[in-house]
Amino acid sequence: ANKVEELQSKLKAAKDKCEDLDRMRIELEDAQKALAQKEVELKEREEKIEKLEADVWALTSANQELTKAKQQAEEELASVKEEVETTRDALDISETELQTSENNLKASRAVAVSRQQALDELEQEMARVQVETLTEETSLRQQLSESAAELSKLRNWQAWASDMDGKQ
C-alpha cells in the first residue's frame, strides 16, 4: 500500500510536470510567433534601408551631375569674364547678361548646397535606422537563443515524462 501511494504520488507529479510542459510549450509557440513577427518587421526595415540606400545613390548621382554642371558653369563664367576683359571695346556685352550668368551660378550653388544637405540628412537617417535594425536584430537573436534553450528544456522534460509513463 505504501508502494502504491508512492507510485501514485510520482504519477501525479509526472502529470503535473506534463501539464507544466504543455503550458510551457504553448508559451514557447507564442514566443516563436512573436519572433516570426519580429523577423518580418526586420525584413521590412531592411527593405526600407535598401530603399534609403537607393535614394542616397540617386541623390549622390544627382549631386555629381550638379557638381559637374556647377564646374561647367564656373568655367563658362570664367571664360565669359576673360572674353569681357579682352574684347570689352569690340563687344557690346550688357551688364545684365553677365549678372544673369552670375545669378544662375549662385542659384546652381544654392541648389547644390540644398541637395547636399538633403543627402547629409538621408545619410544620418540611414545610419540611425541601421543602428535601430542592429539593436533589434541583436534582441531577436537573444530571444531566439532563449527560446531554443527553453525548447530544449521542454523536450528533456517530455522525454523524462514519457519514460515515467512507460515505466508505469
Side-chain angles (χ1 to χ4, degrees):
N2 205 9
K3 184 82 168 178
V4 169
E5 286 177 8
E6 182 181 329
L7 286 175
Q8 286 177 339
S9 173
K10 284 183 180 181
L11 179 60
K12 182 180 181 339
K15 284 182 181 178
D16 289 345
K17 285 184 180 183
C18 284
E19 289 174 6
D20 288 345
L21 287 173
D22 284 342
R23 188 178 80 271
M24 292 169 88
R25 180 186 48 78
I26 290 169
E27 290 173 1
L28 180 58
E29 287 172 358
D30 290 344
Q32 287 172 332
K33 287 177 188 174
L35 181 58
Q37 177 62 31
K38 289 290 185 181
E39 288 174 343
V40 167
E41 292 173 8
L42 180 61
K43 179 86 169 159
E44 290 171 355
R45 284 192 177 227
E46 288 172 349
E47 289 171 2
K48 186 177 180 182
I49 287 172
E50 289 173 6
K51 184 185 180 309
L52 285 173
E53 288 173 344
D55 291 346
V56 167
W57 183 86
L59 282 173
T60 300
S61 178
N63 192 39
Q64 288 173 348
E65 290 176 20
L66 192 58
T67 300
K68 286 179 187 177
K70 176 185 170 189
Q71 184 179 4
Q72 288 174 349
E74 288 175 343
E75 290 171 1
E76 290 176 90
L77 181 61
S79 175
V80 167
K81 285 183 178 180
E82 284 179 13
E83 288 176 19
V84 167
E85 289 298 323
T86 58
T87 62
R88 182 174 283 261
D89 295 335
L91 299 173
D92 187 27
I93 297 176
S94 73
E95 191 64 30
T96 306
E97 290 175 343
L98 182 58
Q99 188 63 43
T100 300
S101 293
E102 289 175 348
N103 288 343
N104 287 343
L105 178 59
K106 288 178 185 176
S108 294
R109 286 180 181 160
V111 169
V113 167
S114 174
R115 287 191 178 167
Q116 184 62 46
Q117 288 173 346
L119 178 62
D120 291 344
E121 290 172 7
L122 270 175
E123 288 175 346
Q124 289 173 358
E125 177 65 15
M126 187 173 76
R128 186 189 64 75
V129 169
Q130 285 176 335
V131 167
E132 284 180 10
T133 301
L134 288 174
T135 302
E136 283 190 24
E137 182 180 351
T138 302
S139 174
L140 289 173
R141 289 184 191 276
Q142 178 64 32
Q143 290 176 9
L144 181 60
S145 176
E146 292 171 1
S147 294
E150 193 65 30
L151 179 61
S152 177
K153 288 180 186 176
L154 288 173
R155 286 186 178 151
N156 288 340
W157 277 107
Q158 277 186 321
W160 179 83
S162 294
D163 283 350
M164 291 304 292
D165 284 345
K167 289 179 182 178
Q168 290 178 10

